[in-house]
Amino acid sequence: MNSRSLQTTITFLVIGGILVLAFGGAFGSASRSLTAALIDIQSWITSRFVGFQDFATAPRDIVTLRQRNAELEAQVSQLQAQLIELQQRVNETEILAALVDFSRSNPESTYKAASVIGRDPSPFLHYIIINRGSNDDIRRGMPVVTNQGLVGRVDAVIADAARVQLVTDPASSVNVYLQNADTTAVLYGSVTGDISLDLISQNVTVEAGDLILTSGLGGGYPADLIIGQVVTVRALEFELFQQTTVQPAVDFSRLEIVLVITNFRPVDIAPLEPVTPLNP
Amino acid sequence: MRNLVAFPLLALAVILQSSVVSQVRLLSGYADLLLVLLAAWSLQERVDSAWHWGAAACLMIGFVSNLPLGVIIIGYFGVLLLARVLQQRVWQAPLLAMFSVVFFGTLFFHILSFVVLSFLGTPFAFGEVMGLITLPSLLLNMLLSIPIYSSMRELSHWVYPLEGQV
């Protein structure tokens, strides 16, 4: 080894030793400054390199990301559809559970569940169409209920569907019983879908909140089906009867599943009604 | 033969009317898809089968609705008659004719329904019917007029192609 190379080796060893001591913190603040400066430089270079690397590989990644994004979006759409379907099933299950509870608590009647599939096309009439008909032993005149109360009665039947007249129909009238007032009255529908009571004697005290049930009179409906509650009472002295407005127990705008009472046969009392003889 | 498209189209319209349109209420009224559709079809210049469409519509709607069949037949055929008369006279302004037919047709149909149902014993108050059913239904029918007229126009071009287009 010549003197030149020996000199170089010693110089490197000395500088290397100083650097090792500096990185080891042997020179105090001078050592920390050096380390910090080096770290800063390294950070700067690294960040620039990563930026350059991203830039250089970006086109390929965007394509991959777009594909992945499309896949995920399709998956989200599919899951959302599933969620809606499951939500509908949960709603149906809740309704059916309530209807089963109702049928268990009223074991004297037999029921057939039906889905509401349509409404009368005319705004003058309040009818619904259900997906059960004569093939399911549905007959004209059978009462239709939900777990909340009376809906109406079957008006027309074909093989696999039936039309139900709601109690809100303007042509509907139901004989009812006011539980608290212990009196009978007649419930009428209207073109707006509101229902009201009429033919209540002036001698009876009717109050808001009184429960209204079917009376069973006339043979059109079984007794004791809930219809609603009295909201307001109109009793004018110069009128023969009191009238009340009624809050129905059933939400007629959201009917989805109903129960048809299949063991009830309506009685036609028309032949028993007195006929006024013609004057000679 | 292309006229046979009336049956699936009208059946679809009756289903939509019963299941969807009748749920979209304004006060107590809702649109009459069949009425607007028949009016739009019979106002098309090339159409010569409006009466057949009317008969099919009456048959289908009579099957679903509790409205007396006579009201449906007189109501829809009255609308068709009005449309055919106007189509021959104001053919240069088809949209004006469409609005007129829908306006007067809806009024005619509702007044007819009101009179017949009242005669059959259903208690109605005229003011209530006009304010809560007829006027909202009129508005909804008018809103439906433009898209349905355009669709029927395209359909009439398909059902009745010009000789050069065959």
Side-chain angles (χ1 to χ4, degrees), chain A residues 36 52 61 64 83 97 104 133 147 166 168 171 198 203 219 224-225 228 240 248 261 268:
Chain A
F52 175 77
D61 279 350
T64 312
L83 189 67
R104 279 183 186 152
N147 58 314
L166 303 180
T168 56
D198 202 350
N203 302 325
D224 297 332
L225 294 173
L240 281 175
I261 301 177
D268 183 14

Side-chain angles (χ1 to χ4, degrees), chain A residues 117-125 127 129 155 158 163 170-171 191-192, chain B residues 17-18 22-23 28 30 64-67 110 122-124 128-129 132-133:
Chain A
I117 56 169
R119 288 173 183 270
D120 196 292
S122 170
F124 287 84
L125 306 170
Y127 286 77
I129 298 159
D155 171 69
I158 58 170
R163 193 168 55 210
V191 75
T192 57
Chain B
Q17 174 70 34
S18 174
S22 61
Q23 309 267 27
S28 293
Y30 43 82
V64 176
S65 177
N66 195 48
L67 211 59
H110 278 226
T122 307
F124 285 124
E128 208 173 48
V129 166
L132 297 174
I133 296 182

